[in-house]
Amino acid sequence: MMNRANPITSTKPSRASLWWNTWLARRLPPSKQVTLAHKSIFILPTGFGLLWAGLILLLFILGTNYQNNLIIGLSFLLASLFNTCIIYSYKNLAGLSLSSSSSPQAYAGETLVFPVKVSSKQAQFEVLLSYPDNQVNVIKVIKQESQVSLLQFNNLTRGRIFPRRLKIESRYPLGLCRAWSHIDLDNQVIVFANPIESQSELSALETDDISHTLNRGVHVQGVDEFKGLRQHIPGESLKQVAWKQLAQGRGMLSKEFQQPQGQPLWLTLDNLSSADIEERISQLTWSIDKLSERGHIFGLVIGQHKISPSDGESHRLLCQQSIALLPFRGQR
Amino acid sequence: MKPSQQEIISRHSLLWLLIINVVILLPLYDKLTPWTMAICGICLVWRYGIFMGKVAKPPRFLVTSLALASALTLALVTSKIGLLNGLINLLILGYSLKYIEMIDRRDVRIVVIVGYILIAITLLGQQSIYFSILLIFIATINTCVLVSLYREDVKLNETARIGVSLIIQSLPLAALLFLVFPRLPPLWMMPQLKTAQTGLSDEVSFGEIGRLTRSTALAFRVKFDGTPPMNHQLYWRALVLEDYDGQTWTRHESIKTLESNNLASSSMPSATGPWLNYSVIAEKSNQHWLFALDVAFSDTLDIIQLPDYRLYSTKSLTQTFQYNVKSFTSVPMDLSLTDNVRNINLRLPEQSNPRTHQLAESFATRYPNPVKRLNAMMSYFTEQAYFYTLSPPPVGPQQIDDFLLENKAGFCVHYASALTFMARASGIPARMVTGYQGGEWNKRAQYLSIYQYMAHAWVEVWLEGRGWIRLDPTSMIAPERILEGFDAYFQGRNSYFIDSPFSALRLRDYPLLNELRLTLASIDFYWSVWVLGFDSSKQEQVLHQLLGTITKQKLAFFMLTSLSLIILVIAYSAGLLHFTRDKDKVSSAYLRVCRLLHKKGVSRRLDQGPLDFCLKVETQLPVIAEDFSQLTQYYIALKYRTLTASGRKSTTKLFIRLSRKLKLKIIKL
């Protein structure tokens, strides 16, 4: 279920780009942490660099036609400057370390954010980071202390999203050469489906009473069941303070208890009314968020797969991820 | 990628652009028309206003109308100032106008590219070593503009540091390319700069050369193979003037036709006899005539030899020009004379200078032998009370009569005119030759400098069986002028310093400063010969000295080795090749002390901390106890405490010093 193609511009890749991608994959395999070196840095002249070459030629011809050694010398100096710039361009990327960290959750249609940590032993200037067809991040100076650049990635579909290779680019110092690299930071994010509001689509599998679904599965603040820990609010009863955790140095926390009320709620795809399965998935996504927000206990049934009723953030994430990863129609 | 936030020019770049605009346009001041200058000034002030935040970007219509106005004015004046000058002005105007309307980085790059072209154009007119260094400096500033696009948040001097190091690191490869890259002949004709002509003019009237004797400008320099001739043999022929209309001496039409059609031969004839080989480095004069001694030939490209044995360049000397000459000092010129040439050189205007005519005829009757007659005429100048002056009294319409019989005071042109006139009037073919006489010897670099004030005029007469013979009537009046040079006869302050109060030649009066002047002149001479005059033959000469016999393989090997060396050096200085990181100075110094102690029998266990070890040392070697405990304290401070940057620095210094002292002590134990 690898969805590596960019959903926005998923045109059929040409033969050349296919070859290029496999070559890149072999040369620069995916890795969480990459340090750029001669193997991963490519250098080519920019458009300005080509114009510069034209200038060198022009000056050389001018100098030759006027038999003026100084103008010829100037053209050689500019040519040599180009050569120096190649070395500087290389230096401006060599030793640059990039590493990925986990991305914040997102829904389909939202711009994804991939945090990338960059650092370099030697100062490097004006490095451009971007995913293809996405906004470019400019880092003015990269030093030994690592900094995080939040890279944007436009995405429309749900599911496990792998951004394509990250492009790292620099034109420092004169803009004559473009040193660049395409690296795969092996980062991914599970994008939840786009939530669509639906009031009546919740279903209860194991009860007969459908009309009260919304009132069931609700927790009441209580004393029976341990729900979890939360930040202690000054003035609260000291009985609820989690002393054990305090002793562990985790700070002042309060234990929360609750009482389950009524039967748990079951969410399922099959009972939703919409004809389009993607729309039903979206509606389910909305329902999960809504129920979690209200603190309901609910379970999820997708085909043979069943997630037993629970609540809380991790439960919500589990449910959302399982729906998000449902195969697309005809992709089984 | 659309121009986003980062494409907008930063204030830092704007400041650099202000600087570059001024430094690029200043050296071009002499090529600007007043209109161009005015528009450039407006643009600069406007840009400054934008920089200071006083005015907004100019409206589109203003830029367009300025551009149209300037193009129109240029179209009108181009015929007056010449095509190339017109194009240069157009480029400068484009540069200035682009300068006020630029918005993003792309515009800045265009401005920088045009800036380099303008620097090249400046080099067309100015080529001295000092000027070239200045232009490399300007090119560096132009490079800094590009750097400033990528380093916005730093100070001016940081950008400058990067720009300067980029240029310095690029110089070796540029020099290598200059050395080995083949020199090509001009690929096509280019329009020439139209500027004022300097030096000798193509016609001579009374007072003509007198003006030149006030100029301290360099005319040309000469390097001889072997010893140079004596001063009195240095008659540098430039022009032969055969037509006289009673006022001015000019070249004959037939010679002018030959010159303009480049019809004369350029081949080396089979002359025999002793010869001189030398190369002449002529300063730019925007004229065609060259300078050589006696019967001269040249194998340099674009030089032809005229029937009057002068060398002539088919291109005007718009820049310093170097050529080789072979001069035959004892080969006669024109042993036979055609009737046409004889007539030209006997012709005199009718009713001109009747009294001189009479005098000449009396010489003719008294001395039928032409040689004796000429001797008598020459002696006439010494027998009578003639004297040499650079400010002669005015003459009337019969100028030679007035000079020869009334004023009896004048300089070379007066004497040469009079002698030529008398010779012709008495039936001897004669012509006036102008050029330069003498030269200043530079001991250091072994070459002659010929200045404009050494301009001179003399006479050539034709004698049966001997051809054209040089006669210099001035030598009869002022022999020192010829034997020892111009400076022996005239004090500079009386002639050539009048118009050039700041000339370096003034330093001649002070021995030490004169030494300095000669040294600087030598440097400029080497610059002219080895850089400005570096051609394929010089290239071959240098490569031969470097590599021995030149083969393609050797050349390729030489190129590759130098290239990789240069790249290594650049990479190293750019900070790329520091494979091993700086070791921890503190630890290694401490460990060295421990190793020495180990040799003395006090060894440190691997798990032993510095304090613990210090106690052990104190008990076992009480002699160094105090020092070692101090060292341990420094070590612990440096290793485990957070110190301020300056505190760390000073403690490290103390620590290293103490460790050295301690090592000596331990060794002595």
Side-chain angles (χ1 to χ4, degrees), chain B residues 611-623:
Chain B
L611 274 176
D612 209 12
F613 182 58
C614 184
L615 283 175
K616 187 175 175 182
V617 173
E618 276 172 355
T619 49
Q620 296 199 7
L621 289 170
V623 198

Side-chain angles (χ1 to χ4, degrees), chain A residues 57-206:
Chain A
L57 192 68
L58 177 81
L59 292 185
F60 183 75
I61 290 174
L62 194 74
T64 303
N65 276 356
Y66 281 107
Q67 294 287 294
N68 187 314
N69 271 341
L70 294 183
I71 297 179
I72 293 177
L74 181 65
S75 80
F76 289 155
L77 179 64
L78 296 186
S80 172
L81 203 54
F82 201 127
N83 174 64
T84 311
C85 276
I86 297 173
I87 299 167
Y88 268 78
S89 294
Y90 173 75
K91 182 210 153 197
N92 205 40
L93 285 190
L96 177 63
S97 293
L98 301 107
S99 57
S100 63
S101 39
S102 56
S103 313
Q105 49 173 292
Y107 298 92
E110 289 179 350
T111 302
L112 308 184
V113 174
F114 290 98
V116 170
K117 211 189 267 177
V118 291
S119 69
S120 166
K121 271 177 201 154
Q122 48 186 357
Q124 294 175 331
F125 309 100
E126 190 147 312
V127 176
L128 275 52
L129 297 180
S130 69
Y131 282 109
D133 309 312
N134 283 283
Q135 202 194 310
V136 179
N137 281 17
V138 182
I139 309 179
K140 286 280 169 203
V141 185
I142 298 178
K143 285 191 180 146
Q144 213 153 357
E145 303 88 53
S146 61
Q147 49 181 306
V148 175
S149 182
L150 300 173
L151 286 159
Q152 301 200 4
F153 187 81
N154 296 320
N155 167 62
L156 291 177
T157 52
R158 65 177 172 84
R160 200 184 292 274
I161 298 293
F162 296 87
R164 282 196 292 181
R165 283 177 175 268
L166 175 65
K167 189 165 82 175
I168 304 137
E169 213 182 338
S170 126
R171 284 155 203 251
Y172 178 83
L174 298 183
L176 295 176
C177 307
R178 185 175 75 114
W180 89 101
S181 186
H182 288 284
I183 57 163
D184 192 337
L185 279 177
D186 200 20
N187 44 3
Q188 48 161 293
V189 62
I190 297 173
V191 176
F192 308 153
N194 176 30
I196 295 178
E197 194 175 336
S198 68
Q199 281 300 335
S200 57
E201 319 298 3
L202 300 176
S203 63
L205 268 189
E206 290 175 1

Side-chain angles (χ1 to χ4, degrees), chain B residues 45-330:
Chain B
V45 171
W46 199 296
R47 194 78 234 185
Y48 183 72
I50 296 174
F51 178 74
M52 297 310 287
K54 293 266 195 297
V55 290
K57 231 170 63 62
R60 191 99 212 147
F61 77 89
L62 182 79
V63 179
T64 319
S65 50
L66 270 179
L68 277 176
S70 42
L72 197 72
T73 5
L74 275 179
L76 290 175
V77 298
T78 296
S79 57
K80 212 190 299 170
I81 59 175
L83 179 64
L84 187 60
N85 258 337
L87 285 175
I88 292 172
N89 274 284
L90 191 67
L91 195 63
I92 291 172
L93 282 172
Y95 182 73
S96 289
L97 291 173
K98 183 81 206 169
Y99 182 69
I100 53 170
E101 62 137 32
M102 57 192 175
I103 305 162
D104 59 14
R105 286 183 174 190
R106 230 176 55 129
D107 297 332
V108 177
R109 293 195 190 109
I110 300 290
V111 164
V112 169
I113 290 274
V114 177
Y116 283 118
I117 297 175
L118 287 176
I119 290 173
I121 285 171
T122 317
L123 285 171
L124 268 184
Q126 305 262 19
Q127 295 183 304
S128 75
I129 182 167
Y130 313 108
F131 206 84
S132 309
I133 290 170
L134 180 72
L135 280 176
I136 287 189
F137 185 65
I138 293 176
T140 310
I141 298 178
N142 211 16
T143 313
C144 287
V145 176
L146 284 180
V147 176
S148 77
L149 289 180
Y150 298 92
R151 298 293 308 275
E152 291 166 354
D153 46 342
V154 289
K155 289 209 181 82
L156 215 57
N157 58 2
E158 173 66 11
T159 319
R161 194 189 59 78
I162 298 170
V164 168
S165 59
L166 277 173
I167 292 285
I168 289 178
Q169 287 164 0
S170 303
L171 281 175
L173 180 60
L176 180 71
L177 286 173
F178 189 83
L179 188 66
V180 298
F181 207 86
R183 289 296 187 282
L184 307 174
L187 305 172
W188 60 81
M189 280 296 292
M190 300 288 278
Q192 294 293 331
L193 277 176
K194 201 169 172 183
T195 48
Q197 300 186 335
T198 55
L200 288 174
S201 72
D202 60 345
E203 48 179 43
V204 161
S205 53
F206 276 25
E208 195 68 46
I209 287 184
R211 218 182 45 234
L212 272 186
T213 56
R214 293 188 171 187
S215 167
T216 53
L218 194 64
F220 56 97
R221 286 171 288 194
V222 183
K223 178 108 179 154
F224 284 95
D225 295 355
T227 48
M230 306 293 285
N231 197 72
H232 65 91
Q233 292 170 313
L234 296 172
Y235 279 89
W236 305 100
R237 302 168 87 240
L239 283 162
V240 172
L241 308 171
E242 293 170 308
D243 281 5
Y244 182 58
D245 64 355
Q247 299 296 322
T248 49
W249 292 87
T250 51
R251 283 165 301 156
H252 191 259
E253 281 307 318
S254 62
I255 289 281
K256 283 188 191 168
T257 317
L258 282 180
E259 285 178 353
S260 54
N261 294 336
N262 300 340
L263 280 177
S265 72
S266 55
S267 61
M268 190 78 86
S270 52
T272 50
W275 72 81
L276 287 166
N277 264 336
Y278 51 95
S279 60
V280 179
I281 304 121
E283 294 297 303
K284 72 165 180 178
S285 61
N286 295 305
Q287 309 207 26
H288 291 263
W289 29 95
L290 303 173
F291 319 97
L293 300 169
D294 304 311
V295 177
F297 306 97
S298 175
D299 58 356
T300 306
L301 209 71
D302 300 323
I303 291 184
I304 55 174
Q305 195 215 11
L306 293 168
D308 52 16
Y309 301 95
R310 290 188 297 130
L311 296 181
Y312 184 85
S313 162
T314 54
K315 289 189 201 137
S316 71
L317 305 189
T318 52
Q319 58 192 25
T320 308
F321 178 62
Q322 187 171 354
Y323 56 97
N324 304 316
V325 187
K326 191 168 195 165
S327 278
F328 292 89
T329 46
S330 59

